[in-house]
Amino acid sequence: MHAFVQAAVRRVQDAAEWFDVSGFQSSAAVAWTDDDPQLDTRFTVAFRVCGRLPLSCTVIYDAGDIEFPPDILVLGPAGFAPRLADIKPLVEWQPSNDRNLLDALTHIRRLYIDSQRLLISTCGFERISFEAGCLSHFEDLEMLLENDTNDVTCYFYIPFKHNAFAQKRAILSLTMLVDVESGNVSSVSRELLVPPKSQESVIQLPSYPLEGLVVDYVAQVIAFLDRTTELRISARTARKQLIESLAAEFQPILVEYDDVDYRFISLYAMISSEIEGKSRPEIHGAAVINITLPKTFPDSAPTVTLISPLFFRSEDSHIPVSKEWRIPYNRLMTVVDIVDFFRSEMQAQVVQFHSSLGR
């Protein structure tokens, strides 16, 4: 890639949510057969709208005057022909500003989305035209219409912010299939696109009634997320109370615990007794006790695993012997009940586990 355009192109590549850059080549007539990437000043940009690539353009920098604004040849559906003279970043091109290209392409993308919204509102299918009007107040709304012989497909990308994602933007993606002959909606698929590194990475959305309005379904999803967030906060509080209580009760044998999500605590118990005349105590039992809480605790039971610090699965294995300890848990048990249970039963379980190894 030509050194002058590298920074500008990199900004477009970084906006991968909106653009896909490919097909680098030279725009200099004398270099059509030259494979030197340093001469590349021509490339293709595809525009992402509603997760699809319905539009693309060819960007051509003048190899003879690289600081001159590039030609942008839009390759899209019939009826979409933006006036490049109206695109301010091209008209007011500043060679030193490496955002110019990104700003110009973003402007073209917005013009295309606006043209799609107009197309949908006047497409002749009353249902989706009405849906589009009801959603017009959503900022950065994206809509896309694709025609087929028997069906029309309408895509909706509806962005919103919610506490479930720390007020970062999520997108409700809906794909609505409309029968051309009847004008009725035949199917609706849905997906929630969550921000990166969200705690709620996979969310099972409520079902979508074919006769329901999109705007009502958006409200339903937000209410569903409200309930999910409340349950998650409540569950974390319950986990925190139990883990911290176990850590305080078993402080002398505490190995580690999760103080962020409160999902895990590890203890090390050794049961022994002094024998007269011997320098070493007799070991009756030893185990690492790992207690794991599911995200749905207290509705779901903790998982407890006993791990031997002395014995492995076989002579050739480096994996310690382990056993699940199934505790008699029920939803009505309090934190005090659970701590009392471990206090009263742990020693016997460790001794029994150690004895069962028979080594």
Side-chain angles (χ1 to χ4, degrees):
M1 188 189 310
H2 195 289
F4 182 82
V5 303
Q6 280 183 359
V9 171
R10 192 171 297 114
R11 282 192 178 274
V12 178
Q13 291 173 321
D14 289 343
E17 180 184 3
W18 291 351
F19 304 109
D20 182 70
V21 186
S22 62
F24 292 95
Q25 61 187 52
S26 173
S27 56
V30 295
W32 285 114
T33 59
D34 198 324
D35 293 330
D36 184 357
Q38 295 184 4
L39 300 177
D40 290 347
T41 52
R42 171 180 176 144
F43 48 90
T44 300
V45 178
F47 295 74
R48 296 188 189 278
V49 178
C50 293
R52 302 177 70 79
L53 298 172
L55 181 72
S56 66
C57 70
T58 301
V59 179
I60 306 174
Y61 280 84
D62 188 341
D65 186 359
I66 199 65
E67 295 190 0
F68 197 75
D71 292 322
I72 300 180
L73 309 180
V74 178
L75 309 172
F80 180 68
R83 293 182 54 195
L84 298 185
D86 294 335
I87 301 174
K88 190 175 180 179
L90 287 179
V91 175
E92 300 178 356
W93 189 264
Q94 297 177 353
S96 59
N97 184 358
D98 59 18
R99 285 192 56 90
N100 279 341
L101 180 61
L102 175 61
D103 291 343
L105 295 173
T106 300
H107 189 92
I108 294 172
R109 181 178 180 275
R110 175 47 57 187
L111 289 176
Y112 179 73
I113 292 172
D114 290 344
S115 73
Q116 285 293 303
R117 293 175 69 165
L118 179 61
L119 177 64
I120 291 171
S121 65
T122 59
C123 67
F125 294 98
E126 183 178 352
R127 169 67 185 276
I128 57 176
S129 296
F130 183 74
E131 297 280 16
C134 291
L135 296 170
S136 60
H137 63 285
F138 281 92
E139 187 177 353
D140 296 327
L141 171 71
E142 295 180 18
M143 291 187 286
L144 180 65
L145 191 68
E146 292 183 351
N147 289 296
D148 199 352
T149 305
N150 300 316
D151 299 297
V152 169
T153 305
C154 188
Y155 301 91
F156 297 94
Y157 254 36
I158 307 164
F160 64 95
K161 294 181 179 180
H162 194 275
N163 288 333
F165 316 114
Q167 286 299 319
K168 294 181 180 178
R169 192 179 78 152
I171 296 175
L172 178 60
S173 171
L174 297 175
T175 302
M176 183 175 289
L177 197 64
V178 181
D179 180 72
V180 170
E181 185 173 340
S182 66
N184 296 326
V185 175
S186 57
S187 69
V188 178
S189 60
R190 63 208 186 281
E191 182 181 6
L192 186 62
L193 308 176
V194 304
K197 300 180 180 180
S198 294
Q199 289 188 0
E200 303 292 341
S201 57
V202 180
I203 297 176
Q204 186 66 39
L205 290 174
S207 59
Y208 187 101
L210 290 182
E211 300 303 320
L213 293 176
V214 173
V215 68
D216 291 338
Y217 184 70
V218 174
Q220 184 182 351
V221 168
I222 291 175
F224 170 76
L225 290 174
D226 288 341
R227 293 192 301 272
T228 301
T229 303
E230 290 173 4
L231 290 173
R232 177 165 54 82
I233 293 172
S234 176
R236 184 181 184 277
T237 300
R239 295 196 307 269
K240 182 175 186 290
Q241 291 174 347
L242 178 56
I243 292 295
E244 289 184 341
S245 295
L246 289 169
E249 175 66 29
F250 298 104
Q251 179 64 40
I253 62 172
L254 176 64
V255 177
E256 62 176 340
Y257 72 93
D258 173 12
D259 62 353
V260 177
D261 292 322
Y262 299 96
R263 297 281 309 279
F264 174 85
I265 185 170
S266 181
L267 311 172
Y268 176 63
M270 178 177 286
I271 315 301
S272 62
S273 62
E274 300 291 338
I275 301 178
E276 187 177 351
K278 291 187 178 182
S279 59
R280 290 186 177 182
E282 181 179 359
I283 297 176
H284 302 291
V288 175
I289 302 116
N290 288 341
I291 303 171
T292 304
L293 304 184
K295 282 187 175 182
T296 51
F297 178 84
D299 292 332
S300 303
T303 300
V304 185
T305 306
L306 302 176
I307 303 172
S308 173
L310 304 174
F311 301 110
F312 298 96
R313 293 184 179 179
S314 67
E315 293 182 358
D316 300 327
S317 174
H318 296 287
I319 301 175
V321 178
S322 63
K323 173 189 174 182
E324 184 178 353
W325 174 11
R326 294 184 178 274
I327 65 173
Y329 175 80
N330 68 74
R331 176 67 176 81
L332 299 179
M333 293 178 72
T334 66
V335 169
V336 173
D337 293 335
I338 298 172
V339 173
D340 286 346
F341 169 80
F342 280 112
R343 186 193 303 113
S344 63
E345 298 293 330
M346 184 180 297
Q347 180 171 324
Q349 283 291 327
V350 170
V351 172
Q352 181 182 339
F353 171 59
H354 185 80
S355 300
S356 69
L357 301 180
R359 303 178 188 180

